Amino acid sequence: QVRLVESGGGLVQAGGSLRLSCAFSGDTFADFAMAWFRQASGKEREFVVVTRPFGGDTYHADSVKGRFIISRENAKRTATLEMNSLKPEDTAVYYCAARREVLFGGSYDYRSKIAYTSWGQGAQVTVSS
């Protein structure tokens, strides 16, 4: 079974940067879409960014476009989220997620949390004013 282990997170001042990593095991990493979601206290879990296999297309939520970068290293089976120009409203628990895809497969709603079959344990990111 797929296992996702997150590392990183912490406290950072507004305007600063932080990096999260997600280590993947249990299946063929190159076949999986890798996404990041976040959940602020008292709020619903929301989509942040995703990178897909078979071409590496990426999609970002409008709130993070131009500030957050997702990348993947297939040889290390790791996905990374680099967060820049952080704002207090970015404060949340961040979760990595994975979904297996097939070449020429049908489309799906990559913004929906139910599309993903595996989840990391979450990492707290706190941005101070």
Side-chain angles (χ1 to χ4, degrees):
Q1 63 184 48
V2 173
R3 184 186 180 207
L4 304 177
V5 179
E6 299 179 32
S7 60
L11 176 65
V12 64
Q13 292 183 343
S17 299
L18 202 63
R19 181 178 296 173
L20 303 178
S21 295
C22 181
F24 177 107
S25 63
D27 212 324
T28 304
F29 179 74
D31 292 344
F32 280 73
M34 298 296 298
W36 292 89
F37 286 71
R38 67 186 182 187
Q39 187 167 16
S41 181
K43 304 295 184 181
E44 296 291 326
R45 190 171 301 186
E46 66 175 3
F47 169 80
V48 178
V49 63
V50 63
T51 180
R52 300 184 66 187
F54 316 126
D57 290 346
T58 61
Y59 305 94
H60 299 76
D62 288 343
S63 59
V64 306
K65 192 172 298 182
R67 299 189 297 121
F68 288 13
I69 302 170
I70 188 170
S71 61
R72 65 192 301 158
E73 298 180 20
N74 285 348
K76 296 182 178 181
R77 298 185 297 176
T78 300
T80 300
L81 181 65
E82 183 176 329
M83 301 177 289
N84 302 302
S85 301
L86 283 162
K87 306 173 182 179
E89 50 263 44
D90 294 319
T91 295
V93 177
Y94 284 70
Y95 298 89
C96 64
R99 174 192 172 92
R100 197 181 202 281
E101 297 193 17
V102 297
L103 191 62
F104 307 124
S107 63
Y108 63 95
D109 184 4
Y110 56 82
R111 293 178 174 267
S112 174
K113 61 182 182 292
I114 66 173
Y116 298 89
T117 57
S118 302
W119 293 86
Q121 80 278 12
Q124 177 68 49
V125 173
T126 302
V127 184
S128 62
S129 300

